[in-house]
Amino acid sequence: MTEDQVRDKAARLLELEKSDGAQAGVGQITTFNQLGFLGRADKPDGWYLPNDTSGVALILETKASKFDLDDSRWIEELRKNCSIAQERYKKVIGILYNGTDVRCYRNHDKVEVSKKLEAKEYYFELFLNQGIDKPRIYTLTAKINNCLHSEFGIKNLYHRMIFTACALVAKRYGAFMQPGMDYSTFHNSILSCLRKELTSSKNKNDKLDLLVEVYSEIKMNINLDPDSPSDQQRLLHTIGEFIEWIEEISESIDSNEWNGEDVMGIFFNEFNRYKAKSESGQVFTPDHITSFMCRILEVNENDVVLDAACGSGAFLVKAMAIMTRQAGGFTTRKAKEVRQAQLYGIEFDREIFALACANMLIHKDGKTNLTHLDSRTESSRRWIESRPKEVTKVLMNPPYENKHGCMDIVASVLSAVPPGTKCAFILPDKKLEKTSKKKIQNMLKYHRLTDIIKLPEKLFFKIGATTSIFVFETGVPQGGRKIFGAYIADDSLITIKNQGRQDVQGVWPELEEYWVDCYFRKPMIVSVPVSGSILNIICHTSCQLPNSELALRTFGRLP
């Protein structure tokens, strides 16, 4: 093949097509100067240059099929062009191609790749397999919190979270943000990006306007003298630091090692530090519990998952990560289908709904399937029933207070989803006992309670609630069927100041495997009369893994 033929073939296989988000193409006459690198007359054979300079750039060098790609002349030519690209991009992929063989370089380092030339997204993921430094993320979150609270004067907890989340969304979708911007330009760049990104989804979900509305309502209280050069310089420096912190967190979330951890939960643990004791707040479901619940419900790539009290979207984000991984990765057609039509959320609180929208945007879409409704209403029921695909799994942690109608939410959801749907709810231990006997009997007349798993008492210690996972199967009467009961007495997590409870010793993955296995083996089952106390479950087995010094796993009495 001639070099021209190789170049055309590479353009087709790499899918180097110009778009609103990037300059892309192939040729022999386009210079780097024409592509925005002033004073650079060198000419790449192919290029992909995203508008967001924190994204991955790709530089192509092609040769006729008769040439050996290991020739140092071609390698140096590619490296020179990649060095030019690195004047603007931190992450650059360099590809040598002769129609048959492929050589690939990640920031000048040769990497092993497929022997066939793949679509450009395949090579972008070479930058997404880096390990994640979670302590660093918490450190950055603390810096952001201090900055927004002390420097920008944002006193409202959720407003700080929403502002940070919107900045992350804007970064993901290519907003122009760089150190040296003044506050007005910085704020409007985020707002403009949000409006542009959400426009394409408004026909599907006009509730997304709420995210822009809430962001627009956030007010700064910056204590600076507008006539003081030093104060203005300090503000520019602060904005620059904020942008750098956002970029670093965004890169971690974009990594393939990010396993659907709830960004809002991480923010909440830190941002909550300034919250007054008198304020009532949202309870964010810990990441390890969302993972465990997805596993016991066997969430898979073909499921349609609903959370009708979705909060910031923790269950939906975790389910999306699991389903996407099973689908073969984010760039597969099936993964796109998962994001577009298999994840649904309902949230009543206006600001929390805005957080959920932002969280789903940060985690690569799913935003069009959220709605701002009261999940106890007929409108909510109709919305659930009208989804393009029927719900197959429900994962929820509804608000516990009676004023929010906790059990009414549960009953409404159970009746709205199709028969045979597996539903898992986190509820206070005694919630069923304190609910009217008639209401519970009516619920169990149509839906079967299959499992109750008591969670560690430290899980929600800040709000003083002890909880359990209640698993139901819809459309099947309880009758005299048995209920499986278990008590996870300890999850091994340790409370870290301003960072919530964390698996410092790395024990939870092993514990999770144990409890998932235990759940499916169901070593001990007891009958629970519908007419009696629904939580009168007693198991007297104590379990311990080999070589483990601590009896962290026990079956025990549920209160």
Side-chain angles (χ1 to χ4, degrees), residues 389-525:
K389 294 185 177 183
E390 287 191 339
V391 172
T392 61
K393 302 284 170 64
V394 173
L395 293 156
M396 290 178 60
N397 184 8
Y400 304 151
E401 297 88 346
N402 290 329
K403 65 180 181 179
H404 294 305
C406 178
M407 292 311 298
D408 291 334
I409 292 173
V410 172
S412 179
V413 171
L414 290 175
S415 64
V417 297
T421 303
K422 296 286 286 184
C423 307
F425 303 89
I426 298 178
L427 301 170
D429 289 331
K430 297 183 180 296
K431 179 58 70 172
L432 270 66
E433 289 186 68
K434 292 182 178 180
T435 303
S436 74
K437 183 178 179 180
K438 183 178 180 180
K439 184 178 289 187
I440 295 301
Q441 286 180 330
N442 188 58
M443 185 185 297
L444 297 180
K445 182 179 178 181
Y446 299 101
H447 312 292
R448 178 189 171 194
L449 177 61
T450 59
D451 313 283
I452 304 175
I453 303 173
K454 179 170 170 54
L455 296 170
E457 296 193 358
K458 295 179 181 179
L459 196 66
F460 297 117
F461 70 96
K462 283 191 175 182
I463 62 171
T466 58
T467 58
S468 297
I469 300 169
F470 293 76
V471 182
F472 289 85
E473 182 181 0
T474 63
V476 181
Q478 186 73 34
R481 291 180 173 84
K482 297 175 181 179
I483 297 172
F484 171 70
Y487 179 16
I488 304 177
D490 195 343
D491 57 9
S492 82
L493 272 66
I494 296 172
T495 301
I496 306 297
K497 185 177 180 181
N498 300 327
Q499 297 183 13
R501 302 180 70 245
Q502 295 187 36
D503 186 17
V504 176
Q505 299 173 334
V507 178
W508 174 252
E510 187 183 15
L511 285 173
E512 183 180 289
E513 290 298 328
Y514 173 89
W515 280 111
V516 170
D517 177 67
C518 179
Y519 176 81
F520 288 110
R521 284 191 298 108
K522 292 185 168 44
M524 187 172 292
I525 302 178

Side-chain angles (χ1 to χ4, degrees), residues 3-26:
E3 184 172 346
D4 287 343
Q5 291 173 322
V6 171
R7 191 183 306 108
D8 291 341
K9 181 179 179 180
R12 185 177 71 257
L13 295 176
L14 286 168
E15 299 177 4
L16 295 181
E17 300 169 353
K18 186 177 180 180
S19 66
D20 290 340
Q23 297 183 81
V26 295

Side-chain angles (χ1 to χ4, degrees), residues 134-142 265-266 268-270 273 462 494-502 504:
K134 290 189 179 178
R136 175 62 178 166
I137 293 174
Y138 276 100
T139 297
L140 292 171
T141 303
I266 294 174
F268 184 78
N269 284 328
E270 164 57 33
R273 180 156 55 94
K462 283 191 175 182
I494 296 172
T495 301
I496 306 297
K497 185 177 180 181
N498 300 327
Q499 297 183 13
R501 302 180 70 245
Q502 295 187 36
V504 176

Side-chain angles (χ1 to χ4, degrees), residues 18 66 71 120 160 190 267 305 398 427 437 470 486:
K18 186 177 180 180
K66 65 181 180 180
D71 189 312
K120 58 184 178 296
R160 293 199 300 276
I190 295 174
F267 288 172
V305 177
L427 301 170
K437 183 178 179 180
F470 293 76

Side-chain angles (χ1 to χ4, degrees), residues 23-135:
Q23 297 183 81
V26 295
Q28 281 188 310
I29 61 173
T30 303
T31 66
F32 274 107
N33 185 68
Q34 291 171 292
L35 294 171
F37 297 83
L38 300 181
R40 295 294 191 175
D42 303 81
K43 300 172 183 177
D45 287 326
W47 58 91
Y48 180 87
L49 303 170
N51 297 341
D52 178 5
T53 55
S54 66
V56 182
L58 185 148
I59 300 298
L60 171 69
E61 185 66 31
T62 57
K63 297 298 171 187
S65 297
K66 65 181 180 180
F67 290 113
D68 181 3
L69 294 185
D70 291 322
D71 189 312
S72 61
R73 291 176 296 170
W74 318 140
I75 296 172
E76 288 306 313
E77 187 176 358
L78 176 64
R79 282 180 168 167
K80 180 182 179 183
N81 286 340
C82 287
S83 294
I84 294 173
Q86 283 183 309
E87 293 174 5
R88 282 173 51 191
Y89 298 91
K90 294 180 181 178
K91 295 178 284 190
V92 177
I93 291 291
I95 293 178
L96 268 177
Y97 184 56
N98 65 1
T100 304
D101 295 331
V102 179
R103 300 290 184 273
C104 182
Y105 296 83
R106 180 180 61 199
N107 284 353
H108 298 305
D109 295 325
K110 186 177 179 181
V111 289
E112 293 300 321
V113 293
S114 169
K115 293 180 180 180
K116 295 182 179 180
L117 193 64
E118 305 287 348
K120 58 184 178 296
E121 288 78 11
Y122 170 85
Y123 301 100
F124 295 165
E125 291 194 355
L126 295 174
F127 279 102
L128 303 181
N129 296 321
Q130 313 299 309
I132 295 172
D133 185 353
K134 290 189 179 178

Side-chain angles (χ1 to χ4, degrees), residues 168-431:
L168 282 167
V169 171
K171 170 50 62 177
R172 172 170 293 287
Y173 290 98
F176 177 73
M177 292 193 295
Q178 66 178 27
M181 301 174 75
D182 60 31
Y183 177 75
S184 178
T185 304
F186 169 62
H187 182 275
N188 289 333
S189 179
I190 295 174
L191 185 60
S192 176
C193 182
L194 289 175
R195 285 173 172 159
K196 180 181 178 182
E197 176 56 32
L198 299 184
T199 296
S200 62
S201 302
K202 282 185 180 179
N203 292 334
K204 295 181 181 179
N205 187 354
D206 57 8
K207 302 295 192 303
L208 289 173
D209 282 332
L210 264 179
L211 178 58
V212 173
E213 287 179 14
V214 174
Y215 174 78
S216 300
E217 292 167 3
I218 298 173
K219 304 301 180 185
M220 299 292 155
N221 184 25
I222 303 173
N223 186 24
L224 296 174
D225 182 353
D227 297 322
S228 169
S230 61
D231 278 6
Q232 293 305 310
Q233 190 61 38
R234 193 182 97 202
L235 177 58
L236 291 176
H237 177 72
T238 300
I239 293 171
E241 285 188 320
F242 181 88
I243 291 171
E244 290 175 355
W245 300 330
I246 288 294
E247 286 182 349
E248 192 169 343
I249 292 178
S250 182
E251 287 180 3
S252 292
I253 298 169
D254 209 28
S255 168
N256 283 345
E257 301 298 318
W258 190 267
N259 193 33
E261 292 89 346
D262 180 20
V263 175
M264 298 305 114
I266 294 174
F267 288 172
F268 184 78
N269 284 328
E270 164 57 33
F271 291 13
N272 193 45
R273 180 156 55 94
Y274 289 114
K275 191 179 73 169
K277 292 183 179 179
S278 60
E279 292 181 54
S280 60
Q282 178 85 3
V283 177
F284 285 73
T285 311
D287 179 70
H288 68 302
I289 299 301
T290 62
S291 172
F292 175 69
M293 289 174 66
C294 283
R295 292 191 64 186
I296 64 174
L297 255 61
E298 298 183 281
V299 170
N300 64 76
E301 63 184 281
N302 296 314
D303 276 319
V304 177
V305 177
L306 169 71
D307 183 350
C310 69
S312 70
F315 279 118
L316 298 177
V317 167
K318 178 60 69 175
M320 180 166 61
I322 291 171
M323 296 162 78
T324 298
R325 188 167 59 249
Q326 290 184 4
F330 181 77
T331 58
T332 63
R333 291 185 178 88
K334 179 58 180 176
K336 184 177 181 180
E337 183 181 344
V338 166
R339 297 192 303 275
Q340 291 183 342
Q342 293 177 226
L343 299 162
Y344 297 103
I346 300 172
E347 176 55 43
F348 178 66
D349 184 280
R350 181 172 176 270
E351 291 186 340
I352 301 301
F353 175 78
L355 275 177
C357 290
N359 206 12
M360 297 302 282
L361 280 161
I362 290 167
H363 288 91
K364 304 176 182 178
D365 215 320
K367 60 188 177 298
T368 58
N369 299 321
L370 303 178
T371 191
H372 181 223
L373 291 171
D374 183 338
S375 53
R376 297 169 295 178
T377 63
E378 182 62 27
S379 295
S380 174
R381 180 190 180 95
R382 288 197 301 269
W383 187 84
I384 294 171
E385 293 175 343
S386 67
R387 295 308 87 201
K389 294 185 177 183
E390 287 191 339
V391 172
T392 61
K393 302 284 170 64
V394 173
L395 293 156
M396 290 178 60
N397 184 8
Y400 304 151
E401 297 88 346
N402 290 329
K403 65 180 181 179
H404 294 305
C406 178
M407 292 311 298
D408 291 334
I409 292 173
V410 172
S412 179
V413 171
L414 290 175
S415 64
V417 297
T421 303
K422 296 286 286 184
C423 307
F425 303 89
I426 298 178
L427 301 170
D429 289 331
K430 297 183 180 296
K431 179 58 70 172

